[in-house]
Amino acid sequence: MNNYSAKVAIVGVTGYAGRELDRILGAQSHIRVCGRFASTADPVAGIDSFSPDALRRCGPDIVVLAIEHDLSLEAVPLLLAEGYRVLDMSGAYRLKNPDLYPQWYGFTHTSPELLETAVYGLPEFFSKEIAGARLVANPGCYATAAILPLLPVYRADAIAPDSSVVVDGKSGVSGAGRKPRLDTHFCEVSENIRAYGVLQHRHTPEMVSWLPGSTFDRFVFTPHLIPINRGILSTIVIRHRDRAVVSAILADTYAGSEYVKVFLNSAPSVQDVVRTNFCHIGVTSRGDTTVLVSAIDNLVKGAAGQAAQNLNLMIGRS
Amino acid sequence: MNNYSAKVAIVGVTGYAGRELDRILGAQSHIRVCGRFASTADPVAGIDSFSPDALRRCGPDIVVLAIEHDLSLEAVPLLLAEGYRVLDMSGAYRLKNPDLYPQWYGFTHTSPELLETAVYGLPEFFSKEIAGARLVANPGCYATAAILPLLPVYRADAIAPDSSVVVDGKSGVSGAGRKPRLDTHFCEVSENIRAYGVLQHRHTPEMVSWLPGSTFDRFVFTPHLIPINRGILSTIVIRHRDRAVVSAILADTYAGSEYVKVFLNSAPSVQDVVRTNFCHIGVTSRGDTTVLVSAIDNLVKGAAGQAAQNLNLMIGRS
Amino acid sequence: MNNYSAKVAIVGVTGYAGRELDRILGAQSHIRVCGRFASTADPVAGIDSFSPDALRRCGPDIVVLAIEHDLSLEAVPLLLAEGYRVLDMSGAYRLKNPDLYPQWYGFTHTSPELLETAVYGLPEFFSKEIAGARLVANPGCYATAAILPLLPVYRADAIAPDSSVVVDGKSGVSGAGRKPRLDTHFCEVSENIRAYGVLQHRHTPEMVSWLPGSTFDRFVFTPHLIPINRGILSTIVIRHRDRAVVSAILADTYAGSEYVKVFLNSAPSVQDVVRTNFCHIGVTSRGDTTVLVSAIDNLVKGAAGQAAQNLNLMIGRS
Amino acid sequence: MNNYSAKVAIVGVTGYAGRELDRILGAQSHIRVCGRFASTADPVAGIDSFSPDALRRCGPDIVVLAIEHDLSLEAVPLLLAEGYRVLDMSGAYRLKNPDLYPQWYGFTHTSPELLETAVYGLPEFFSKEIAGARLVANPGCYATAAILPLLPVYRADAIAPDSSVVVDGKSGVSGAGRKPRLDTHFCEVSENIRAYGVLQHRHTPEMVSWLPGSTFDRFVFTPHLIPINRGILSTIVIRHRDRAVVSAILADTYAGSEYVKVFLNSAPSVQDVVRTNFCHIGVTSRGDTTVLVSAIDNLVKGAAGQAAQNLNLMIGRS
């Protein structure tokens, strides 16, 4: 007897995000994970490699792709053509403008028509669109940590004209994926911190695209790798038009939010939110400057937890 | 037979900075550490507590204070009155304007006349003044990591008018001192990162004071505690007037520098400089934005290494 | 309408173990935490200090003490006299023989008669006694990690005569408590490992007391502090009489166990069990030597999780 | 004008051990590193791959191999045939008995005749042999941390008959090499500890071979990976014949030692020795049990520092 309301297949279940999603869905009785597949690019002993036939045997309502963006780029149109709904956790379908892909991702987008219909999976703002979507693009971890505090501010036009918004992101190492690289070797990461992708990181166009009124010239994002497993802390400096507006708009926007909490004159830490789906936002002002500090677990609110929110919206649960 | 040219006493030798200075001076044959004292506020078994008599027995040319700023505030005039030259590693004598102390440090300065004559111990810029000084104020760790990349830029008037300079500092835990506190408990720091002192940190007035043309309204400093022992990485975002000027002025200023190295289109990591007196500065630009990333060891270039540079200048060595 | 079957008060809820227990019980609908008290020795803003009156207002069925052993020593007889059942998480009532306390704990036991009736809270072996107990002594973290693998082996008399059992324990820092000390300062723990209490640690008499046939002369326990937040890995070397007996007896004993899992020719890691109530035991043999490796989360199976097991047994649930 | 007395080539200079040796020799004016080569198996941009021709151009007196043992196995006879003296940092030439290689290393030794003449590079015990050797096998890191405390004890026949010696080693991650593997991924190591190679680790036959009187049946070595960059702490439990003999023999043996220090009733930590060539040994006894705790930096005394000692001996300096 089935007491679940949806079947989900996860492709890329051996990576950190896919594994975390599998774990999260395991605690949700109304969703059944009917298939767990390794990426075709990364076969793992004991895990089936993804194939159309294997997917058909499982018969999912929704296929979640927790794989590299170049694989998602190709897989999404095939899966949609087979009639599956798709939740893509990569960056391949997050941007509306296909022209941004060559510069920031290094490839020409092969399905620009899908970019138009893809829904950006930010449940706090696009829950209706997500509910009806055939293709949902799950937001990036850094993007989530920046857009949640900034989107209400931009929408309220609360940023001083011609001023730059500066986002300084610090991420745990699981954000770099599970594939062994010298970059993620313990000895290279421990007792170290470094900035990377300075002025070139792929989450920059995602932030600028989804923050109305932002521009590449006045939006500066710098990611950093720090020696923790999980978590992102982003420190965001803006010049506000009116400090009262910024704190009020954030407090109001998230007053009833299940997962986003706002703290005035306080700054959250990663330990406050790790292993939860929460995003904590601290707001501090002086003069015409406001500092927003946001904290999420990059694998939960920044990936699998947000994916679980989206899956629930897609099957009609809030 | 003495083959050294100067005798130095260290007060506060059981803290991280004092201990590091003791270690560094141990390798410099021309300086002899004639006295090692614990802070009067922090007596330690086996280490003499600081007292005027104990100091007289040692007879130092220079007394180094590696103690809390409230203790330094009181000790410095007494030591100067006794005829000693003083290198103070606290913040008590770093600011020129006594009016800044109540707001940022929470006390009224009791020796404002000494602030006028104290020399700010930044060897790359004030070596002559340091050489002749009776009182040298050793710069703060965050301040060093911000002022070294920014001072040439401000001097060249290379920052766009009315734009904010944003400094995001990340420090290892030794910067918080050796005194046990819940804040520095392993379990509170490990797998964590947090911002602290948002818009209120004491190194802010130090930076603004020593960066000509900067103002509190257009200078935003946010420090963070990260789970490493040593090191500071500071990510600095400026809007430049002319990108060529910024990179040229930094490259020129430090072309012959022993300890400051400039890297174009590259970002240093803390591991590049840890346990050295180097400051590495990376410069990357896009549009009218320049990102400067600086890395130092907070206990060396940010404290004891810079103190050793200052001591050598004070005794006539470069 | 109450749908819980028991009320519990936690004394010492601001420490790591007490806080973890509060969190665990929060997910158990049949237990209500009716009171949360700070230790009288460690008052915390916003948390009530423990007092008889405060306890009476809450009216718990069971009082859990998550406080220092010297405080438990005094509090337990008072609480029992008031009619409460008590679960003590300290070492004050774990040993049967009062003569061991002066040597290993440095105090003379003031309630030796309670040692006779106290039940050692190891659910896998003493569930019946726990169910009926008025006073349960929750086992120590290192002791749990050693006794679970070794108790079946000792009971089966499977250790070669006159051979030594060597237990090498490695613990995360939360085992040292939340009170700030130089020992637990991030900079003293990170990039470090040290043995402590060599041949003198208090869990040694706990292990020897509960392992039938063991003796102080032939049981060697060495604890180590390692730079992780949570978790214990213990590596245990024995000389077996018959290797088949050791693996069979462990596999059999824990065949139906909810929380203890045995793995042949494999060694668990702390990450396998962290944030769970599991104890994983690996068994590897060569010649007449067997190496047992056990892994637990020191705050869960080694403290609060085991306490929750005991509370459930005390209220008649298994 | 050369003021050095020897030229050395390092093969495998991009690994952790090779890089550390290069750094150490950089501070020794009498040795010049005339060639730095990457392993043929691991070519690195900007570093020459090792080749006979490249080696000839450099003309070293001694070739240091800091490469995998299978590469050393083949390279050593070729280099000796070319007339070079060789210091091999791998395990390929550490054992005297070729029959141990198939079982512990998984290969049949192709130059068993060289095992006879190879000198084990433990300077504290074999300095004369090292001075004259054409081939020196630099000891393994775990082996160094075990043999230094145990060799005097075995030589003095101070261990009780038929008792087992138990060595529990804990190593930092640099001991696993610089090649990226899932095992050394930050997220797999951080907040974790695991035993590995239980009863099968390759340093076991090295220890048993060089500890006179030890046997595989009565010698148990278990290595563990802990989340630190550098350092080994080994906890060694023996049953002594006479506790006075153990402490006396250790104190006497190392009374004049430059790098080995013995501490009675005390246990060293890794931070005491990291980035130094010291080995600290703590000795604690109770009944007929003695616990020895040794600490080294695995890359210095456990690899490159000991190699530098050996190179100096080979060129006639002590």
Side-chain angles (χ1 to χ4, degrees), chain B residues 120-131:
Chain B
Y120 191 60
L122 198 69
E124 282 75 11
F125 294 93
F126 307 119
S127 59
K128 279 185 194 158
E129 295 85 342
I130 294 163

Side-chain angles (χ1 to χ4, degrees), chain A residues 103-104 162-164 166 168 170 186-196 198-200 204 216-220 222 224 226-230 232-233 235 237 239 267-272 274-275 284-291 293, chain B residues 103-104 162-164 166 168 170 186-196 198-200 204 216-220 222 224 226-230 232-233 235 237 239 267-272 274-275 284-291 293:
Chain A
Q103 177 188 352
W104 294 92
D162 195 43
S163 67
S164 293
V166 175
D168 192 283
K170 302 93 178 168
F186 182 85
C187 297
E188 308 291 318
V189 173
S190 177
E191 286 294 308
N192 203 9
I193 170 173
R194 59 186 179 83
Y196 61 100
V198 179
L199 295 173
Q200 298 181 359
T204 310
F216 285 103
D217 271 0
R218 292 293 171 261
F219 195 91
V220 184
T222 315
H224 300 76
I226 60 171
I228 64 175
N229 281 322
R230 302 162 71 118
I232 285 180
L233 193 90
T235 305
V237 176
R239 199 182 303 171
S269 78
V270 154
Q271 278 194 2
D272 295 337
V274 74
R275 286 167 219 281
T284 310
S285 298
R286 189 192 67 203
D288 58 2
T289 296
T290 291
V291 177
V293 180
Chain B
Q103 177 188 350
W104 294 92
D162 195 44
S163 66
S164 293
V166 175
D168 194 283
K170 302 95 179 168
F186 182 85
C187 297
E188 309 291 318
V189 173
S190 178
E191 287 294 307
N192 202 9
I193 172 173
R194 59 185 180 83
Y196 63 100
V198 179
L199 295 173
Q200 297 181 358
T204 310
F216 284 103
D217 273 0
R218 294 290 171 264
F219 195 92
V220 184
T222 313
H224 300 76
I226 60 171
I228 64 175
N229 280 324
R230 305 161 70 119
I232 285 181
L233 192 90
T235 305
V237 176
R239 198 181 306 171
S269 78
V270 154
Q271 278 194 4
D272 295 338
V274 73
R275 287 166 218 281
T284 311
S285 299
R286 188 193 66 204
D288 58 2
T289 297
T290 291
V291 178
V293 179

